[in-house]
Amino acid sequence: MQFGGRRKKNSINPQSELYGQHLQFYGQPPLENISLSEFETFAVERLKLLKTVENLGVSHVKLTDLYISKLEKELKLVYSYRKNDFYGPTEYEKRRKDHISHFILRLAYCQTEDLRRWFIQQEVDLFRFRFNDLDPKQQLEFLHKNNLRYDTISSEEKLKLKDQLINSSFGVSGITVMEHEFYKVPFQDALDLVRLRKVYLKQGYAYIPHQDIVTIVLNDFRTRLSKALALTARSLPAVHSDERLQPLLNHLSHAYVGQDYSIQKNVGKISLDQIDSLSGKSFPLCMRQLHQSLRENHHLRHGGRMQYGLFLKGIGLSLEQALQFWKMEFIRGKVDADKFDKAYAYSIRHMFGKEGKRTDYTPYSCMKVILSNPPSQGDHHGCPFRHSDPELLKQKLQVYKVSPSGINQVDSSFSLNHPNQYFLESQKLLGGGKDIKREMDAPQRSQENAASKGSTATQEVAANTSQHLAEMTEDLDSFFQDA
Amino acid sequence: MPSSDYDPASLPDLLPLYYRRLFPFSQYYRWLSYGGVQKNYFQNREFSFTLKDDIYVRYQSFSTQNELEKEMQKMNPYKIDVGAVYSHRPSQHNTVKSGTFQALEKELVFDIDMTDYDDVRSCCSAADICSKCWTLMTIAIHILDRALRDDFGFQHRLWVYSGRRGVHCWVCDEAARKLSVAARSAVTEYLSLVKGGDETVKKVVLTEPIHPFISNSLDVVKEYFTQYALHDQDLMGSKESVEKVLALVPEDARSYLQQEFEKEKKPEKRWKLITTEAKRKQVGNFAHSFYIVLHIRTEGLVVLQSVSLKSTAKKGQYFEKEIMLQYCYPRLDANVSKGVNHLLKSPFSVHPKTGRISVPIDVSELDKFDPFSVPTISLICEELDRPRPGEEKEKLGDGKEKEDEKDAIEKRKIRDYKRTSLAKYIKYFDQFLDGMARSWKAERLRKSDLQKEF
C-alpha cells in the first residue's frame, strides 16, 4: 500500500497497518509523537465534524440523500473517504488525522456520563455513514479485518433457506432474499435479534439480512467505544497532570456542553413588573407564547410551568418572586390562594431545589424543549418552530412584527441553542443601544434554524415536518417580501 | 419396579451407603474436569450442600476427586447443587480481594417444573405428577432439545430427572459454558412463548410471520395433542375446561363455537370445529393483506409499511395454535437460566422427599421414560445387599498391598452400582461423556500445538 509522497519513518512502523483501510474501529491508540499545535488542530477539527454530524442528524432523517450529500461535503475536506480526492492531503495523512483526532477527543469526552453519551452517539453516526458508504466488498473486507467473522451466504443456500428466511426476519420478502446479501453471524453477536426471535437461527448461526448487519456492526462499535471510554477515564488523572494538555482538553469538552444557565447571576435584578415588557423585547418566541397564554388563561399546565418557570429562574427570578408571580396570576383564574399554596407552591419550590431530592433544575435548552415532552391539546409549551402549526406560526411572527429584512438576514455565527441564551444576547444588544428590531430579527431567524429539527424517533414524521418547515420558511420569505 | 419403600426418615442411614458405594464419583469427576483442557476447572467449581436439619453450605470446592469423595462421605449431604466455575477456589473466596472473585463459566441450564403448568393441567396440581401430565415434560424435552441442537448448534445436552416434578437440562458445550449473562438471557427469551402470570388469560400471542422455531415447536405439540390434551386432560370435555379454552378464542368466533358445542360433544370433533374456524380466519386475512401489499407496492411506498400493516390487520387469527401452545409449550424458569452463578441440583443427587435419584434421561428413549420407575435410594441400597446369583461377597484382602486393596475397593464399587437399577443410567452418562471426550481431545491437541516450540 503506497502512502502519499511523505518521507516518514512511520510508514514502516506497525501503525501504518492500521491505515490500510478507509475506516477503522479505533482499537489501537496512536503511538507517535506530534506537536501541541497538531494536537489541538486535529482535535478541534474533529469536534467541528462531530457537531456537524449532530446538527445534521437532528435536522435530517439519517441516511436520506440530503443528509448524505451534506455530510459528504464536510467529511471530504477532512477525513479519509471512499471517494478519494486527487488533490488535497494524501490518503495517509487523512487516515492518520482520523485516527489521532478520535483518540484525543476520547480524552476530552470520557469524563462524565453526558459527555460520553454525546461522543459515542456522534461517533456512531459518523461511523454508520462511513460504513454504509463502503462498497459491499470493502464492507466484507472491513468485517474480516476486524475479526467479525461474518460471511455472506451463497445463492444456493439462500434458495434452500428461502422460506425460513422470509418467516424469520422483519421486512424480508422473497425478493429481498434473492437480491440482498445475507450474513452468517454467530448468534452471540446478534443477541438483540435472537432475543426477539427476529432472525433465522441454524446450528448456532444467525442469518442476517444486510439491512440488519449494519446495526450489529454499529452495536459492536458502540460497545467497544463505551468500554474504551471507561478505561480512558481511569487514566485521566495522569493525563491531567500534564499542564499543557489539561486546559486544552477542558476547553474541548466545554465547547460542547455550553452554559446551562443554572447559576443565577442576576438574582433579584429583575422585578416582577418588568416581565411583561421583557417578554416582548427579549423573550424567545416559545417563552413569549407561554407568558402570553399564562396572562390570558391565568393558568399553565405542568409542561408549560416547568419550561417557563425554569426559564424565569434562569433570567434571575428568585424563589420568592416566582411564588408571588405565579400565585398572583393563578388566583385571577379558578385557583384560590389556599389551593395554590397546597397544589402549586410545592412544585415551584421543587424547581428551585428546595423540595424532594433538592435538585436545582436547570432551565431547558432548545434541544430539550424540542425533543422531549411534545405538547398536546391544551398545552402551550414546546418550541413554536417545531411544534406549532405553520399557519399559526406565520401569524404569530407577523404579530410580533418580524420585519422582512430581518428574515433575510442570517447571522451564521450566532447559533442559538438555549432560550436563556437568547434572553442574554438580546439584553446585551438592547443594552448596547443597537437597533432593536433589526438585531432581534437575526436571533429570531436563527431560532428557526435551531428549531427546524425533527425528532429522529419517528423518522418519517420528522422528514415531513422538516419538509413543512422548509416550505414554510420559504413561504414566509415570499410573504413578507410581498408585504 | 418397587420403589415405594422409601421413607425420608431413613435417609441418614441410606446416604452413607449411597456415597460410599454407589455414587459415580469417577464419572462425575470426569464430567466436571472437562478433559483437563482448562486448568483448575474442577478446582474452581462451586458446590453447595444441604445437610441434615436444612443446614446449607455454599462455596464448597475440592482439589481432587478423592477430596470430593472424602468430603461427601463425611458430610452426607441431603442435597447437592452445582454452581459456576469461579476465578479462584470457592472455598477460599474470603481470602480474595473483594471484587476479583468472579463466576466465570457454567453450563447453560434449564429447569422445567410441573407446578408452572397448574393452570393448564386438570389431573394434578402443585407437587403431584402422574403419567397423564408427564407428557408435558416429554413435549418440553422434545421441543427444547431440538431447538438447542438445531437452532443453537449445541451438541452436548444432558437431560436429568429432578427427582420429583420436573426435568433439568445441562448444556455442556464449551460455547455454552462461556456464554455471558446477556447471551443466556437472549437464548431463554428466544425459547419462551408462554408469558404472563395468574392475571393473564391469554398467555400466547402469535403474529405473522410465524418464525420457523414456532412452527417446529408446533409440529411437536401436534404429535401429542390429541392423546394428551383431548383424551388425558379432557380439554374439550368438562364445561369448565371448555370455557377456559374458549376464553382464548377471539370473541367473534367464541359465540359461534359455544353454539356448536351445544350440539357436538365429542372432543375430537369439537377441536376440529376450533381448527376449522381458525383456518377460515387465516385464509380470509391473507387474501385481504395480499391486496394491501400489492396496493402499497404500486403506490411506491416503503415495503416496511406493508409488512407492519399485515401484522396489525390480523389479530387472533392463529388462535388454534395459540391454544395448543398455551396448554403444551414448555414453561421455563428464566432466572435459573440467566445467571452464570446460579446453583442447580446436581445429577445423581437424591431428592429428600421422594428418595428418587436425579438420573440422566436417555433422550433417544424419551417417550418410554417413566418417572415412577426411577430408582429410589432405598431401592438401590436394598439391591446392593442382594447377592447376585452365583456370586459371593468379596472379602477385603488380608495382607494385600495397599494399592491392590484400593484397586479392589474401586473394582468392587464399580461392580456395586452395576448390580443396581442405577446401572443403566450411569451407562448412559458414560456415553454422554464419551461423546464430549472427543472434543476435549481435539482441544488438548490444539492447545499443545500452540505451545509447541519450533
Side-chain angles (χ1 to χ4, degrees):
Chain A
M1 189 94 196
Q2 299 304 311
F3 293 121
R6 289 289 207 103
R7 275 168 288 130
K8 269 191 176 258
K9 259 196 268 169
N10 289 333
S11 49
I12 313 169
N13 82 14
Q15 288 286 294
S16 59
E17 278 283 297
L18 268 180
Y19 303 158
Q21 285 200 307
H22 297 278
L23 190 57
Q24 57 162 304
F25 260 148
Y26 308 106
Q28 300 297 322
L31 293 175
E32 48 176 291
N33 297 327
I34 62 173
S35 65
L36 270 183
S37 72
E38 231 187 358
F39 187 92
E40 183 165 355
T41 327
F42 281 7
V44 168
E45 274 188 26
R46 192 180 193 89
L47 185 56
K48 267 203 216 156
L49 177 64
L50 291 186
K51 285 192 140 248
T52 309
V53 169
E54 178 187 26
N55 288 332
L56 285 178
V58 177
S59 54
H60 299 89
V61 175
K62 290 177 198 173
L63 303 184
T64 53
D65 292 331
L66 193 58
Y67 175 90
I68 290 174
S69 64
K70 287 204 168 175
L71 191 46
E72 208 178 275
K73 220 173 12 180
E74 301 289 329
L75 192 59
K76 241 154 100 155
L77 301 168
V78 191
Y79 292 111
S80 178
Y81 191 61
R82 181 172 63 91
K83 305 179 182 88
N84 293 330
D85 278 326
F86 289 110
Y87 311 100
T90 62
E91 262 310 297
Y92 177 82
E93 279 307 304
K94 284 196 198 173
R95 292 175 194 187
R96 175 177 165 264
K97 184 155 62 152
D98 176 25
H99 184 211
I100 295 175
S101 61
H102 170 88
F103 275 89
I104 298 173
L105 286 190
R106 276 197 197 180
L107 292 174
Y109 282 85
C110 64
Q111 301 173 64
T112 70
E113 251 325 292
D114 279 340
L115 289 174
R116 278 189 254 195
R117 205 177 313 146
W118 182 85
F119 181 66
I120 291 175
Q121 183 59 52
Q122 312 321 320
E123 285 283 343
V124 166
D125 284 346
L126 180 61
F127 185 90
R128 178 194 292 117
F129 173 76
R130 293 169 73 186
F131 183 79
N132 276 325
D133 187 71
L134 298 174
D135 65 47
K137 187 161 149 286
Q138 289 172 314
Q139 285 180 343
L140 206 55
E141 212 183 296
F142 176 84
L143 295 176
H144 286 162
K145 262 229 161 111
N146 286 282
N147 280 324
L148 295 172
R149 307 149 278 175
Y150 309 158
D151 283 309
T152 52
I153 62 176
S154 64
S155 302
E156 292 84 40
E157 205 175 347
K158 271 201 265 182
L159 199 57
K160 210 169 58 158
L161 299 174
K162 188 161 151 214
D163 288 331
Q164 285 95 315
L165 292 173
I166 295 175
N167 286 326
S168 314
S169 304
F170 182 72
V172 166
S173 65
I175 298 174
T176 323
V177 173
M178 298 326 291
E179 285 178 5
H180 291 144
E181 295 293 351
F182 270 76
Y183 295 82
K184 213 169 116 163
V185 173
F187 83 87
Q188 292 92 328
D189 294 349
L191 291 181
D192 287 335
L193 292 172
V194 170
R195 176 189 308 275
L196 298 170
R197 219 182 292 116
K198 285 202 181 305
V199 70
Y200 177 59
L201 277 191
K202 187 171 145 195
Q203 293 303 323
Y205 286 92
Y207 287 72
I208 303 187
H210 182 80
Q211 69 219 37
D212 290 338
I213 200 74
V214 184
T215 318
I216 293 185
V217 175
L218 282 178
N219 279 337
D220 193 279
F221 179 66
R222 184 191 295 266
T223 316
R224 290 186 198 207
L225 188 52
S226 183
K227 284 194 192 142
L229 284 178
L231 273 173
T232 311
R234 276 187 238 162
S235 10
L236 261 191
V239 175
H240 276 169
S241 62
D242 187 326
E243 316 157 327
R244 302 168 298 169
L245 298 183
Q246 201 210 10
L248 172 64
L249 293 177
N250 280 340
H251 166 65
L252 283 173
S253 51
H254 281 130
Y256 153 65
V257 169
Q259 269 203 38
D260 55 10
Y261 304 96
S262 58
I263 307 159
Q264 295 188 273
K265 294 192 184 131
N266 311 306
V267 184
K269 289 212 181 134
I270 306 227
S271 72
L272 290 184
D273 37 350
Q274 282 181 286
I275 293 188
D276 281 320
S277 72
L278 278 175
S279 78
K281 285 194 267 185
S282 293
F283 279 14
L285 190 56
C286 55
M287 300 304 173
R288 198 162 161 182
Q289 192 170 281
L290 279 166
H291 179 77
Q292 188 160 7
S293 106
L294 175 64
R295 287 288 188 228
E296 278 173 9
N297 306 318
H298 312 298
H299 189 266
L300 270 185
R301 284 201 185 165
H302 180 259
R305 290 200 303 275
M306 287 302 287
Q307 185 175 325
Y308 189 38
L310 287 172
F311 170 77
L312 289 175
K313 183 173 87 155
I315 67 173
L317 232 61
S318 71
L319 174 58
E320 291 69 37
Q321 284 177 306
L323 283 168
Q324 201 187 350
F325 172 74
W326 290 97
K327 189 168 182 175
M328 266 179 9
E329 198 55 55
F330 271 47
I331 60 182
R332 283 202 199 118
K334 296 188 197 158
V335 176
D336 63 44
D338 252 359
K339 181 162 182 209
F340 179 84
D341 288 333
K342 280 194 201 131
Y344 298 98
Y346 177 90
S347 75
I348 295 170
R349 281 199 305 276
H350 201 279
M351 251 186 254
F352 279 75
K354 305 291 180 207
E355 297 282 0
K357 61 177 175 163
R358 317 257 155 178
T359 314
D360 202 4
Y361 291 95
T362 58
Y364 297 167
S365 65
C366 287
M367 202 67 92
K368 181 153 185 187
V369 169
I370 292 166
L371 294 178
S372 54
N373 191 22
S376 24
Q377 196 58 35
D379 286 324
H380 297 274
H381 62 266
C383 173
F385 294 99
R386 167 77 180 91
H387 296 127
S388 292
D389 180 58
E391 283 303 315
L392 278 178
L393 181 57
K394 249 193 253 179
Q395 283 174 6
K396 270 213 176 79
L397 288 175
Q398 205 191 348
V399 166
Y400 296 151
K401 298 191 184 64
V402 180
S403 81
S405 55
I407 296 283
N408 290 331
Q409 260 181 326
V410 179
D411 185 351
S412 55
S413 65
F414 178 90
S415 87
L416 179 75
N417 25 49
H418 202 294
N420 287 84
Q421 179 192 16
Y422 179 101
F423 179 82
L424 280 176
E425 293 290 333
S426 164
Q427 287 282 287
K428 250 193 271 175
L429 291 170
L430 292 176
K434 292 195 184 149
D435 176 32
I436 300 168
K437 238 182 169 200
R438 191 169 68 82
E439 295 300 335
M440 241 188 54
D441 297 339
Q444 207 70 291
R445 168 68 173 181
S446 46
Q447 252 195 311
E448 284 175 38
N449 286 341
S452 63
K453 301 174 185 193
S455 158
T456 47
T458 33
Q459 296 190 345
E460 275 146 39
V461 175
N464 289 334
T465 322
S466 306
Q467 253 188 348
H468 276 149
L469 282 165
E471 287 165 44
M472 178 205 84
T473 355
E474 281 163 13
D475 285 349
L476 276 172
D477 277 332
S478 52
F479 177 79
F480 286 112
Q481 256 150 20
D482 292 339
Chain B
M1 279 260 187
S3 50
S4 50
D5 296 314
Y6 174 73
D7 173 17
S10 54
L11 258 188
D13 297 317
L14 295 172
L15 285 173
L17 201 53
Y18 180 63
Y19 291 128
R20 246 167 251 281
R21 292 172 64 183
L22 292 165
F23 188 93
F25 284 106
S26 68
Q27 287 87 345
Y28 198 65
Y29 178 78
R30 189 181 173 213
W31 169 37
L32 296 174
S33 310
Y34 285 95
V37 173
Q38 270 173 266
K39 248 180 88 173
N40 289 324
Y41 212 66
F42 181 80
Q43 290 74 7
N44 290 348
R45 171 81 68 165
E46 182 192 359
F47 297 87
S48 76
F49 294 155
T50 307
L51 310 173
K52 206 160 73 137
D53 300 327
D54 275 327
I55 299 174
Y56 182 66
V57 290
R58 262 194 82 174
Y59 298 112
Q60 305 298 296
S61 62
F62 312 98
S63 315
T64 60
Q65 175 184 333
N66 204 36
E67 199 183 305
L68 172 73
E69 278 189 49
K70 293 271 176 309
E71 278 304 298
M72 277 172 66
Q73 283 155 8
K74 193 167 84 177
M75 297 209 244
N76 289 307
Y78 277 37
K79 280 197 256 185
I80 305 168
D81 288 344
V82 177
V85 176
Y86 281 81
S87 51
H88 305 77
R89 289 178 190 217
S91 57
Q92 296 169 354
H93 74 283
N94 285 322
T95 65
V96 176
K97 195 168 88 166
S98 101
T100 45
F101 179 70
Q102 299 205 347
L104 299 178
E105 296 189 11
K106 192 175 71 70
E107 295 75 8
L108 173 63
V109 294
F110 296 96
D111 179 355
I112 307 182
D113 191 324
M114 200 70 90
T115 42
D116 292 339
Y117 294 79
D118 281 355
D119 57 320
V120 292
R121 54 174 181 150
S122 55
C123 50
C124 312
S125 71
D128 299 324
I129 58 166
C130 69
S131 54
K132 286 195 208 160
C133 52
W134 185 257
T135 314
L136 286 169
M137 293 293 121
T138 308
I139 295 174
I141 296 177
H142 275 305
I143 289 179
L144 295 174
D145 200 60
R146 184 215 66 81
L148 291 168
R149 181 191 64 224
D150 293 344
D151 294 10
F152 289 99
F154 292 129
Q155 305 291 328
H156 308 291
R157 312 165 306 277
L158 184 73
W159 288 91
V160 181
Y161 173 52
S162 74
R164 189 161 61 158
R165 59 186 193 218
V167 293
H168 300 153
C169 180
W170 295 76
V171 185
C172 301
D173 296 53
E174 189 185 349
R177 288 180 272 130
K178 290 174 152 51
L179 287 177
S180 64
V181 171
R184 285 164 209 257
S185 156
V187 172
T188 309
E189 283 191 44
Y190 177 92
L191 298 172
S192 300
L193 277 179
V194 180
K195 303 194 176 144
D198 292 336
E199 290 88 55
T200 318
V201 172
K202 199 150 174 63
K203 298 190 160 89
V204 181
V205 176
L206 299 178
T207 51
E208 248 218 348
I210 304 274
H211 192 278
F213 166 76
I214 300 179
S215 321
N216 289 327
S217 305
L218 272 166
D219 287 344
V220 176
V221 172
K222 281 181 196 162
E223 268 182 54
Y224 295 86
F225 193 74
T226 310
Q227 178 62 43
Y228 166 74
L230 300 180
H231 295 307
D232 295 343
Q233 297 292 325
D234 201 23
L235 210 67
M236 297 276 96
S238 74
K239 190 159 183 268
E240 199 192 330
S241 179
V242 168
E243 249 175 55
K244 272 196 184 157
V245 174
L246 287 183
L248 305 179
V249 173
E251 271 192 64
D252 49 353
R254 203 181 300 158
S255 32
Y256 164 72
L257 288 166
Q258 269 162 347
Q259 271 180 353
E260 293 296 304
F261 283 12
E262 299 285 315
K263 303 179 242 159
E264 181 56 73
K265 302 287 179 191
K266 292 219 195 80
E268 266 137 347
K269 293 270 165 74
R270 282 180 162 183
W271 181 249
K272 194 82 174 58
L273 282 166
I274 291 183
T275 51
T276 312
E277 192 52 28
K279 294 260 157 54
R280 199 176 302 160
K281 237 191 181 209
Q282 287 157 30
V283 174
N285 281 341
F286 176 76
H288 178 64
S289 76
F290 191 62
Y291 167 75
I292 291 179
V293 172
L294 274 183
H295 183 69
I296 288 181
R297 285 216 170 169
T298 57
E299 298 289 297
L301 287 180
V302 176
V303 174
L304 237 61
Q305 279 194 348
S306 75
V307 173
S308 61
L309 252 177
K310 257 161 66 176
S311 47
T312 50
K314 310 183 234 187
K315 243 198 179 159
Q317 53 161 333
Y318 292 118
F319 60 84
E320 96 282 21
K321 302 192 197 325
E322 289 163 348
I323 293 170
M324 284 198 279
L325 293 172
Q326 182 151 339
Y327 277 83
C328 301
Y329 185 86
R331 297 160 181 225
L332 307 171
D333 184 348
N335 291 321
V336 171
S337 311
K338 288 182 188 177
V340 178
N341 54 2
H342 192 100
L343 290 145
L344 186 63
K345 184 155 190 262
S346 173
F348 298 107
S349 184
V350 184
H351 196 296
K353 298 217 173 74
T354 62
R356 300 213 191 264
I357 312 290
S358 290
V359 292
I361 300 174
D362 186 346
V363 183
S364 63
E365 307 266 311
L366 181 56
D367 289 37
K368 295 199 201 127
F369 181 82
D370 175 15
F372 296 102
S373 60
V374 169
T376 59
I377 187 174
S378 40
L379 175 69
I380 56 181
C381 287
E382 194 206 329
E383 286 171 332
L384 251 189
D385 288 333
R386 269 190 240 145
R388 252 157 141 210
E391 193 184 72
E392 284 167 21
K393 270 196 172 170
E394 287 268 329
K395 288 199 185 117
L396 264 176
D398 23 30
K400 275 189 182 172
E401 284 178 46
K402 252 198 172 172
E403 248 186 68
D404 278 357
E405 199 179 284
K406 232 192 352 177
D407 241 9
I409 293 180
E410 274 298 317
K411 285 197 186 131
R412 194 169 158 217
K413 249 203 255 170
I414 294 172
R415 281 202 299 269
D416 276 349
Y417 77 71
K418 279 193 178 166
R419 53 165 127 159
T420 68
S421 310
L422 205 55
K424 72 173 186 185
Y425 300 101
I426 297 182
K427 183 169 177 210
Y428 175 76
F429 190 49
D430 269 325
Q431 287 167 353
F432 174 75
L433 295 174
D434 289 339
M436 284 208 285
R438 285 187 281 271
S439 62
W440 299 337
K441 189 168 174 204
E443 262 305 295
R444 278 202 305 272
L445 276 174
R446 198 179 67 88
K447 275 200 166 177
S448 71
D449 275 350
L450 286 173
Q451 286 163 359
K452 273 208 189 103
E453 286 174 329
F454 288 91

